[in-house]
Amino acid sequence: DGFASREKDQKFKFLNPDYIKDGQGRKKGDPLYDPSTLHIPQRWFKDYKISPGQRQWWEFKSENFDAVLLFKMGKFYEMYEMDAHIGVEHLGLTY
């Protein structure tokens, strides 16, 4: 239940179902809402001191919110945040 608890965390408030918006800033009730994108407030990166690598992942994720991302770090592929939880739950991977 790791990621579900993070959704309630103030750091990830933009992932809370009550606050989530698409990449254009539209809420779920909007007829043009695009669930494949995610709005991340730009100041969030600075406020929470998000590293350049993490920022790059979040920017990719915000453009592909409906996909599981494998992020290449050196010669390995990594899964982060909600994607890592999906990998554990559905693919039998371990943390």
Side-chain angles (χ1 to χ4, degrees):
D1 201 63
F3 197 77
S5 65
R6 290 191 103 187
E7 289 178 1
K8 296 177 179 104
D9 187 345
Q10 278 299 108
K11 180 177 179 180
F12 295 98
K13 187 174 181 177
F14 60 89
L15 291 174
N16 182 307
D18 294 335
Y19 299 102
I20 201 163
K21 297 178 184 175
D22 72 7
Q24 297 299 312
R26 296 179 290 243
K27 292 187 175 188
K28 284 187 176 183
D30 188 308
L32 298 176
Y33 176 76
D34 179 3
S36 70
T37 64
L38 172 69
H39 172 73
I40 301 173
Q42 284 300 305
R43 69 173 220 229
W44 178 79
F45 295 106
K46 185 177 180 182
D47 289 350
Y48 290 97
K49 298 179 175 85
I50 304 303
S51 73
Q54 289 175 323
R55 182 184 182 118
Q56 187 178 32
W57 183 87
W58 276 109
E59 287 173 348
F60 286 142
K61 189 63 179 176
S62 73
E63 296 168 5
N64 302 280
F65 193 57
D66 61 342
V68 174
L69 302 180
L70 295 170
F71 195 71
K72 189 169 184 182
M73 295 293 286
K75 60 182 179 178
F76 299 100
Y77 287 88
E78 306 272 349
M79 297 173 82
Y80 297 104
E81 301 293 347
M82 67 282 285
D83 294 345
H85 295 288
I86 290 168
V88 169
E89 184 177 336
H90 298 284
L91 302 174
L93 302 176
T94 58
Y95 294 108

